[in-house]
Amino acid sequence: MRLSLPLAVLFAMSFNLHAADAPATGKTALVIHGGAGFVPRNAITPGERKAYHEALNRALDAGNAVLSRGGSALDAVTAAVVVLEDAPQFNAGKGAVFNAKGGHELDASIMEGHTRRAGAIAGVTTIRNPIRLARTVMEKSPHVMLAGDGAEAFADEHPEIERVPNSYFDTDKRRQQLEKAQRDEAAKGKREAYNGTMEAPTYFGTVGAVALDSQGHIAVATSTGGMTNKKWGRVGDSPVIGAGSWADERCGVSGTGWGEFYIRNAVAHDICARMAYRGDSLETAANAVVNEVVTAAGGDGGAIALDRDGNIAMPFNSGSMFRGWIRPDGSRGTAIHEGE
Ligand code: ASP
């Protein structure tokens, strides 16, 4: 059927209004990730595997405790991401990757779907839980994104934001990753001049959460240390609204992967836009963006996504993605590799 332009616009508007005005179902749902990557199954010891699952379950419990007492999706994603930031296994907060200078610069964003409020911070160095500062930007400043020294100065005005020395974020595992990346870079530098492309990273590790609360509202939070050996104040997709995080009335997405590709393809927003404009299901939209758009562009990674009916999608093109979920029927799980 071909619709004339005004009719098509009316049709699209009625679809949007319908989705936005539909009464809340009372269902709650939560999905989290601890980063996508090419982590070979045998590269994780049984002890590490157990610690990953435990951390993911602690984050699910923290988010679900909020949702099951009727709390907001915003509080639920904050609670879940704080747990993941505090867990040294993931590349956010404690355990964040090192930049090229041997320090840590952290990025985070948060968004509430039905109000379209959003907050983000980039390149902070002393904030124990960057997601809390992103939320403070959203709630207590007139801005959406603050970066570097300015974001730190904003934090100075909010004593409730816990500060730590930059070395708090150090872990031996991440230092070894930096040393390996710098050795590889030096060896490569001798072989060939920089040709404008980046070496494909093998493991990401950003954390994120998307929640649906009993009011039918959706929120998303994403937090990261970025990419190992990053230089020049590099900022990835995680604090970029529409790239690493997006939430609206019907859909929320948190991404993890090679951030440059996620920014160029507005990944998080594209997934939700496909649902809004084309009427795609969550599963179809999320799979298409991760497995077709990002893959075709040459990027790696995954995303977690959730819709207003409590459907959950967790596509990734990288062999593994640390993830966990609680569906509206209460069923829950955590997984690392494909097929789990
Ligand atoms: N997307 C993040 C970045 O590019 C990395 C990750 O997902 O771990 O900064």
Side-chain angles (χ1 to χ4, degrees):
M1 176 179 68
R2 275 182 70 97
L3 295 176
S4 67
L5 193 59
L7 262 180
V9 169
L10 266 178
F11 177 76
M13 280 174 60
S14 67
F15 179 81
N16 276 321
L17 285 177
H18 170 75
D21 292 350
T25 60
K27 291 176 185 171
T28 64
L30 177 65
V31 58
I32 61 172
H33 71 77
F38 298 90
V39 181
R41 280 172 206 265
N42 60 8
I44 306 177
T45 66
E48 286 169 342
R49 183 174 291 276
K50 188 163 168 276
Y52 278 121
H53 284 290
E54 281 173 1
L56 290 167
N57 274 303
R58 280 201 309 279
L60 285 176
D61 288 343
N64 198 42
V66 174
L67 296 174
S68 52
R69 61 168 185 261
S72 69
L74 198 60
D75 285 344
V77 293
T78 307
V81 165
V82 163
V83 170
L84 295 170
E85 287 177 335
D86 286 345
Q89 288 82 9
F90 304 110
N91 171 20
K94 176 78 185 168
V97 297
F98 284 89
N99 64 18
K101 290 185 180 160
H104 308 273
E105 294 160 315
L106 311 173
D107 309 327
S109 64
I110 193 160
M111 185 168 190
E112 184 178 59
H114 68 295
T115 58
R116 302 285 169 103
R117 293 190 302 161
I121 46 115
V124 297
T125 55
T126 70
I127 311 298
R128 174 175 169 162
N129 292 109
I131 202 64
R132 290 200 202 279
L133 186 60
R135 182 160 173 182
T136 307
V137 171
M138 176 176 96
E139 292 179 331
K140 299 187 179 161
S141 90
H143 306 301
V144 170
M145 185 187 270
L146 300 179
D149 290 347
E152 299 280 340
F154 175 73
D156 292 344
E157 295 180 19
H158 295 277
E160 70 278 15
I161 297 293
E162 190 178 346
R163 313 298 279 273
V164 288
N166 196 246
S167 58
Y168 159 83
F169 302 110
D170 292 2
T171 53
D172 289 345
K173 184 176 86 175
R174 298 296 183 203
R175 193 176 293 284
Q176 286 157 17
Q177 288 172 352
L178 174 68
E179 287 166 0
K180 180 176 183 313
Q182 295 189 330
R183 275 197 308 275
D184 291 351
E185 187 181 56
K188 190 169 177 243
K190 287 192 190 107
R191 287 199 308 271
E192 57 198 79
Y194 178 64
N195 64 1
T197 61
M198 272 176 74
E199 192 80 8
T202 53
Y203 172 58
F204 305 101
T206 290
V207 307
V210 194
L212 168 71
D213 66 28
S214 56
Q215 303 295 305
H217 298 151
I218 295 171
V220 57
T222 307
S223 180
T224 191
M227 295 196 8
T228 301
N229 199 27
K230 64 185 181 182
K231 303 182 180 74
W232 310 310
R234 180 266 185 192
V235 176
D237 59 312
S238 306
V240 178
I241 299 298
S245 290
W246 179 261
D248 58 32
E249 298 77 13
R250 63 178 69 71
C251 166
V253 177
S254 171
T256 165
W258 194 345
E260 279 68 13
F261 291 89
Y262 278 61
I263 295 174
R264 290 181 194 136
N265 291 288
V267 164
H269 181 262
D270 190 15
I271 292 173
C272 295
R274 284 167 186 252
M275 295 182 71
Y277 303 155
R278 292 162 47 117
D280 283 358
S281 71
L282 181 82
E283 187 77 23
T284 301
N287 275 331
V289 174
V290 170
N291 290 316
E292 293 169 24
V293 177
V294 173
T295 305
D300 305 312
I304 53 169
L306 169 156
D307 73 14
R308 207 169 186 277
D309 297 320
N311 294 308
I312 286 171
M314 300 173 282
F316 50 96
N317 69 2
S318 53
S320 62
M321 182 168 76
F322 296 92
R323 58 202 188 277
W325 60 90
I326 302 181
R327 298 186 192 279
D329 66 3
S331 62
R332 64 185 277 169
T334 55
I336 301 176
H337 287 98
E338 242 166 359
E340 285 178 9

